[in-house]
Amino acid sequence: MNEPTHADRSSSALAQLPPGQQLVARDKWPVIGERSPLQSDRPWTLTVQGLVSQPTTWSCDELLRRPRVDRVIDIHCVTRWSRLQVPMSGVPLALLLAEAQPLPEARFVRFVARSERAHDSSLSLAVVRETDPLIAITADGAPLSQEHGGPFRLAVPGRYFYKSVKWLEEIELLAEDRLGYWESEAGYHNQADPWLEQRYATRLLPGAEVAERLIAGQFDDTHLLGLQAAGGQWLRFSARRAVLRNAKFDGCRLMEADFTGANLSNGSFVGADLRGANFAAADVEGADFSGADLRGADLASASVFGVTLGGPGQAAVIDATTRWPADVLEQLTPDQIAYLQGHDR
Ligand SMILES: Nc1nc2c(c(=O)[nH]1)N[C@H]1C(S)=C(S)[C@@H](COP(=O)(O)O)O[C@H]1N2
Ligand SMILES: [Mo]
């Protein structure tokens, strides 16, 4: 009788969705960033060191034997997908920190993964106190899979998920902050509060070079954050393998543009003419295609988690000539899939 209606459920989910985020398709948990830890025969350990009076290393067994707490954590990826209320269990970071006894001058915590690039991220101790991160050992009632960071990963509630380092191996207390991998390589915001949409730190671009490339429509292999190209028109735009995160292509004429293998995550293509554009193997996670014309566009092997296809009146134009293979399609939300399937596919 008092069963919540579908509308009730989706409105309560909406209340938990930070601005600009959308729910990932049911039971989908995308693997983002590194997919496996460093291949090594060394046993798994976790070390707390740096500005602490008791540097401590726990073996995997010791950690797994500790009492666990249960948490329900909302995952918000900076590329605009969210997965709400994921049950996790593990050891509170605060307990391990307390045992290692941070020195008074310690103000930041750096988290390092056991991975090929020693992937890292950091938080201030103030944010650690505020968010109470978990060293997660299980998720969805089962041990964390390797691709999701098993045997243990950090899970930081209330921050974009790039703060949640997988295969956590080292926790270092610091007096000064050190920018992590995504924060320095991709310009991700160091605060990462999804409710404030702290996705990217603003960064200045080398103006003259950008202007020249904009005129030529030539961005092959170019790395640029926040390119402002709205309203541009090109006969032959090329950005093969380019990394152009957070770019603005609103209203652009980009017929037959070549974005093969490019990273266009969080890009805005609102109302753009993308007929015949090539997005093969491109990363368009979180990109906004509202009102864009995608007839004849090729999205084979593209990564499309979190894309926006617009609502009524501002829907992307997609038809049977849009190449949107099943493995790409299944990354979309059920509503989006239903919408596309209503288009002759
Ligand atoms: N070691 C490691 N941890 C990482 C990353 C990574 O590349 N390497 N990527 C981060 C990013 S950007 C996100 S969104 C989440 C993704 O976690 P998932 O693959 O379990 O969804 O892991 C974070 N932790
Ligand atoms: Mo992410």
Side-chain angles (χ1 to χ4, degrees), residues 29-34 77-78 81 113 115 117 119 147-149 153 161-167 182 188:
W29 184 355
V31 177
I32 306 286
E34 296 176 296
C77 180
V78 70
W81 58 265
S115 73
R117 62 181 182 222
H119 186 93
E147 59 186 6
H148 285 306
R153 76 174 299 160
F161 212 37
Y162 56 82
K163 290 289 178 183
S164 295
V165 169
K166 304 194 268 193
W167 318 294
W182 289 120
Y188 287 0

Side-chain angles (χ1 to χ4, degrees), residues 13 16 46 85 93 109 113-114 117 123-124 130 135-136 182-183 197-198 223 263 270 275-276 282 288 310 325 335:
Q16 298 172 58
L46 180 59
Q85 304 205 312
L93 171 65
V109 195
R114 175 158 141 181
R117 62 181 182 222
L123 296 171
S124 69
E130 175 198 325
I135 295 168
W182 289 120
E183 292 86 337
E197 280 211 84
Q198 292 170 327
H223 290 221
N263 185 327
V270 176
R275 280 174 292 169
D288 188 350
D335 285 354

Side-chain angles (χ1 to χ4, degrees), residues 84-283:
L84 297 181
Q85 304 205 312
V86 182
M88 297 195 190
S89 75
V91 180
L93 171 65
L95 289 185
L96 301 190
L97 290 184
E99 287 174 34
Q101 299 171 33
L103 297 172
E105 57 268 37
R107 288 181 51 235
F108 295 91
V109 195
R110 176 170 171 254
F111 305 95
V112 189
R114 175 158 141 181
S115 73
E116 201 147 314
R117 62 181 182 222
H119 186 93
D120 63 342
S121 189
S122 69
L123 296 171
S124 69
L125 270 179
V127 168
V128 167
R129 277 188 291 271
E130 175 198 325
T131 59
D132 195 10
L134 185 69
I135 295 168
I137 296 169
T138 74
D140 299 315
L144 273 176
S145 66
Q146 177 176 279
E147 59 186 6
H148 285 306
F152 29 80
R153 76 174 299 160
L154 192 64
V156 185
R159 290 295 179 273
Y160 287 123
F161 212 37
Y162 56 82
K163 290 289 178 183
S164 295
V165 169
K166 304 194 268 193
W167 318 294
L168 183 61
E169 181 176 49
E170 186 190 321
I171 298 172
E172 185 183 13
L173 280 288
L174 300 166
E176 301 293 338
D177 200 5
R178 200 172 318 159
L179 275 191
Y181 180 86
W182 289 120
E183 292 86 337
S184 53
E185 290 295 308
Y188 287 0
H189 199 294
N190 198 29
Q191 309 304 324
D193 184 337
W195 299 97
L196 302 176
E197 280 211 84
Q198 292 170 327
R199 297 178 196 274
Y200 292 98
T202 40
R203 218 194 253 166
L204 288 177
L205 305 174
E209 194 195 327
V210 175
E212 209 170 288
R213 285 177 173 275
L214 272 175
I215 290 164
Q218 175 47 256
F219 287 88
D220 289 355
D221 298 298
T222 305
H223 290 221
L224 277 179
L225 191 65
L227 175 67
Q228 298 290 334
Q233 307 203 356
W234 300 272
L235 286 176
R236 203 76 189 88
F237 187 92
S238 186
R240 298 171 63 85
R241 298 168 306 270
V243 180
L244 298 174
R245 297 174 200 259
N246 226 28
K248 284 256 178 302
F249 287 105
D250 297 344
C252 286
R253 199 187 146 95
L254 285 161
M255 282 173 72
E256 310 283 327
D258 189 353
F259 291 109
T260 309
N263 185 327
L264 301 160
S265 54
N266 285 356
S268 187
F269 293 90
V270 176
D273 185 349
L274 291 163
R275 280 174 292 169
N278 192 346
F279 290 98
D283 176 348

